[in-house]
Amino acid sequence: MNPRHRRLLIPGLLIALIAVVVVASLIDRADAAVAEPVTTLSDSRITESSGLAVSTTEDDLAYTVNDSGNAAEVFAVDLTSGAVVGVTTVRAEFRDVEALALRDGTLWIGDVGDNGRERDDLALYAIDEPGRTTATVDARRFPVSLEGGPADVEALLAPPSSDRLQVVTKTLAGAEVLTLSEGDLDDTRTARFRKTAEDLPALVTDGAYSPDGSRVALLSYGTLWSVDPTEWSVVGSGPLPSLEQSETVAFVSDDAVLVGSEGSDSPLYRLTLPTGEGATEGLATVPTATAEPSSSTVPATTVADDSVDSRTLVLAGIGIAGLLVLVVFLVVRRGRSGGSRRALR
């Protein structure tokens, strides 16, 4: 490829990505489910919630963390009031934390965000589940890498009754699941996540296993996906309520999740996981159960969505088409301009 033409790909890619984001926003707003939030993360310190884990031992308690550019703090949040009831300061230098996962009393913190797909310092941090306390703690830091090279990752999964940890890449199409064993983690060397599944939904911003391990919830900017982890096949999907930027999902029971967003005063919605029985279905009301948020703010029944993969196809198609059109236009324009200059000499 002519070096001049190669340079044209950079602005082309940027414009194509902008087009994808705009279209995604329009589609998500059109498909938005109708619901009322369970609670609101009203603490002024939580402005970019980018990971969520629900306690398995404390009633109405969850943990969240801000992403890049913020202090290394984990916030314990009361799910009934939305108030912060504890702050754990981690003695570490987080770069771009994008996910949390909780299993067997250990809270895993995923410093794995990589928008530029260039990082060589990805890491997982492990601390004891904090509970409703405020303290400063040391963390076990484990350097990790991804098979296939750098990739943007915003979902960290901890399958129950297992020693595995998994991440899901954030791509325009064909997201991958990569897996490693806790036994491979070592604070003195880099452990590598290996690819174990592919062709998952586009633009995955978070994920979580159900307590019984039978389902994985994956979140994108406008959709909640239900996935069978035995084959990593999508078995259902449904639209989200209107969110500024959907970034967090965590289970509160085997069939119910909380979903949340970045931004100040961000809401948390409680939704049932789509089961995939018959056509793709919407997200229905969840009855209150032990350790789940108060029934006084149970979400309303939502509208149905009848598209499972159309959003992914539309976004990928628009991105590719926009890129091709822009590159062709700029190449032709450059060629004509060069020809005119030569003719004048």
Side-chain angles (χ1 to χ4, degrees):
M1 179 185 290
N2 186 305
R4 291 179 301 175
H5 296 171
R6 188 182 296 114
R7 288 195 295 270
L8 295 176
L9 289 176
I10 297 175
L13 284 170
L14 291 175
I15 292 176
L17 287 175
I18 291 172
V20 167
V21 171
V22 170
V23 174
S25 175
L26 293 175
I27 292 175
D28 293 346
R29 291 178 188 276
D31 287 346
V34 178
E36 292 295 328
V38 168
T39 193
T40 299
L41 304 181
S42 57
D43 193 286
S44 61
R45 292 167 292 183
I46 303 176
T47 57
E48 296 182 277
S49 176
S50 196
L52 186 69
V54 173
S55 175
T56 57
T57 60
E58 293 270 350
D59 288 353
D60 288 348
L61 187 67
Y63 306 100
T64 190
V65 64
N66 289 318
D67 66 9
S68 60
N70 291 278
E73 296 173 328
V74 176
F75 300 95
V77 177
D78 184 279
L79 290 176
T80 299
S81 66
V84 169
V85 293
V87 180
T88 299
T89 300
V90 183
R91 293 189 184 96
E93 293 185 6
F94 293 165
R95 181 170 173 183
D96 189 2
V97 171
E98 290 288 353
L100 296 177
L102 180 62
R103 181 175 63 199
D104 299 332
T106 296
L107 183 64
W108 293 93
I109 304 169
D111 188 358
V112 291
D114 188 9
N115 291 330
R117 293 167 175 79
E118 60 186 6
R119 289 185 61 181
D120 59 4
D121 61 348
L122 302 184
L124 301 180
Y125 292 87
I127 64 173
D128 293 336
E129 181 177 352
R132 299 171 183 262
T133 60
T134 293
T136 299
V137 302
D138 293 313
R140 291 162 285 167
R141 181 185 186 276
F142 302 106
V144 295
S145 65
L146 309 176
E147 181 180 20
D152 196 18
V153 170
E154 296 191 8
L156 174 65
L157 310 176
S161 304
S162 168
D163 69 345
R164 293 172 297 145
L165 292 167
Q166 296 168 319
V167 295
V168 182
T169 59
K170 180 183 179 183
T171 62
L172 289 178
E176 297 177 346
V177 179
L178 299 97
T179 303
L180 58 68
S181 168
E182 279 188 45
D184 294 332
L185 295 173
D186 191 318
D187 59 6
T188 64
R189 60 177 177 81
T190 300
R192 177 161 293 189
F193 280 92
R194 304 287 182 180
K195 185 172 74 171
T196 51
E198 57 186 2
D199 296 329
L200 273 294
L203 300 174
V204 172
T205 59
D206 201 10
Y209 268 87
S210 62
D212 64 5
S214 66
R215 286 287 180 268
V216 168
L218 294 181
L219 191 70
S220 67
Y221 287 122
T223 304
L224 176 66
W225 306 85
S226 176
V227 175
D228 180 350
T230 60
E231 299 179 348
W232 289 101
S233 57
V234 173
V235 296
S237 70
L240 298 177
S242 180
L243 292 166
E244 179 177 332
Q245 184 171 317
S246 50
E247 290 276 347
T248 61
V249 63
F251 276 87
V252 290
S253 69
D254 285 331
D255 62 357
V257 296
L258 292 178
V259 296
S261 170
E262 286 193 353
S264 300
D265 295 319
S266 58
L268 287 177
Y269 292 90
R270 185 175 50 166
L271 306 169
T272 52
L273 191 68
T275 63
E277 296 176 358
T280 302
E281 56 192 47
L283 308 179
T285 301
V286 182
T288 302
T290 303
E292 292 187 23
S294 169
S295 60
S296 63
T297 51
V298 172
T301 302
T302 65
V303 293
D305 175 25
D306 60 1
S307 60
V308 176
D309 294 320
S310 61
R311 181 178 285 103
T312 297
L313 295 175
V314 169
L315 295 180
I318 288 177
I320 294 171
L323 174 61
L324 291 176
V325 169
L326 180 71
V327 169
V328 170
F329 172 77
L330 291 176
V331 168
V332 171
R333 182 180 179 185
R334 183 81 173 233
R336 289 176 177 174
S337 176
S340 298
R341 287 195 298 269
R342 286 193 295 271
L344 293 172
R345 292 174 182 170

